[in-house]
């Protein structure tokens, strides 16, 4: 499983309110306008048994400037799905990018349990014991 965060315009991300959806065209236009983002219709990864698993979607994009991009095959994937953009298990850095994207799309970032993420969080770049 995992925990998803949603960039949504709906009151609650799980609502059936079609009038509040972000369109695929809006999402693609945003990605094209953001020099840090790139559309990529196929995501691939390896299982623990070294099997390749692929996922395809025309609304799939990744964040090129993510600090962990490319480390152990890591990418920060953003999936357009049902009128929203979804990220699974985002860290602080990705949550901050999601908030910036949501602001641009006049939307919000909401967790699976309905909590709203509004504030940009500080990303700690040094180990806590090296701060002093």
């Amino acid at each position: 499983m995992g925990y998803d965060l949603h960039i949504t315009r709906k009151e609650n991300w799980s609502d059936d309110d079609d009038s509040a959806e972000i369109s695929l065209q809006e999402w693609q236009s945003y990605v094209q306008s953001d020099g840090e983002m790139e559309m990529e219709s196929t995501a691939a990864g390896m299982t623990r048994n070294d099997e390749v698993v692929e996922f395809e979607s025309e609304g799939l994009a990744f964040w090129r400037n993510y600090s962990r991009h490319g480390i152990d095959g890591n990418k920060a994937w953003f999936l357009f799905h049902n009128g929203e953009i979804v990220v699974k298990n985002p860290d602080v850095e990705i949550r901050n990018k999601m908030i910036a994207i949501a602001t641009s799309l006049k939307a919000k970032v909401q967790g699976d349990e309905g909590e709203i993420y509004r504030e940009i969080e500080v990303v700690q770049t040094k180990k806590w014991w090296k701060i002093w």
Side-chain angles (χ1 to χ4, degrees):
M1 292 287 291
Y3 196 78
D4 294 340
L5 292 189
H6 311 260
I7 298 173
T8 183
R9 291 186 186 134
K10 298 176 183 179
E11 183 69 29
N12 188 300
W13 69 269
S14 61
D15 292 345
D16 290 331
D17 183 4
D18 294 347
S19 68
E21 290 186 351
I22 298 166
S23 72
L24 176 59
Q25 183 179 8
E26 283 179 282
W27 172 235
Q28 290 171 328
S29 292
Y30 172 81
V31 171
Q32 186 176 16
S33 72
D34 183 334
E36 298 182 351
M37 299 288 292
E38 184 174 322
M39 297 299 297
E40 187 168 325
S41 61
T42 304
M46 299 288 281
T47 67
R48 293 180 191 165
N49 298 330
D50 292 329
E51 296 175 30
V52 175
V53 177
E54 290 187 352
F55 175 79
E56 291 186 28
S57 173
E58 68 178 320
L60 189 61
F62 68 93
W63 180 26
R64 267 194 307 260
N65 289 24
Y66 178 47
S67 68
R68 298 195 59 219
H69 180 80
I71 298 172
D72 297 326
N74 195 15
K75 284 188 178 180
W77 293 104
F78 291 70
L79 174 64
F80 175 84
H81 181 70
N82 291 335
E84 64 181 24
I85 294 91
V86 183
V87 177
K88 184 168 288 303
N89 301 324
D91 62 17
V92 171
E93 186 179 3
I94 296 170
R95 286 194 305 266
N96 287 341
K97 181 64 174 178
M98 292 181 77
I99 291 167
I101 292 169
T103 299
S104 181
L105 293 173
K106 295 180 177 38
K108 64 185 172 196
V109 177
Q110 187 175 47
D112 277 346
E113 295 179 6
E115 74 282 10
I116 305 296
Y117 294 80
R118 291 185 177 95
E119 301 293 323
I120 300 292
E121 301 172 60
V122 174
V123 178
Q124 187 171 332
T125 57
K126 292 184 178 182
K127 303 294 184 201
W128 66 268
W129 61 86
K130 294 183 179 182
I131 292 175
W132 294 279

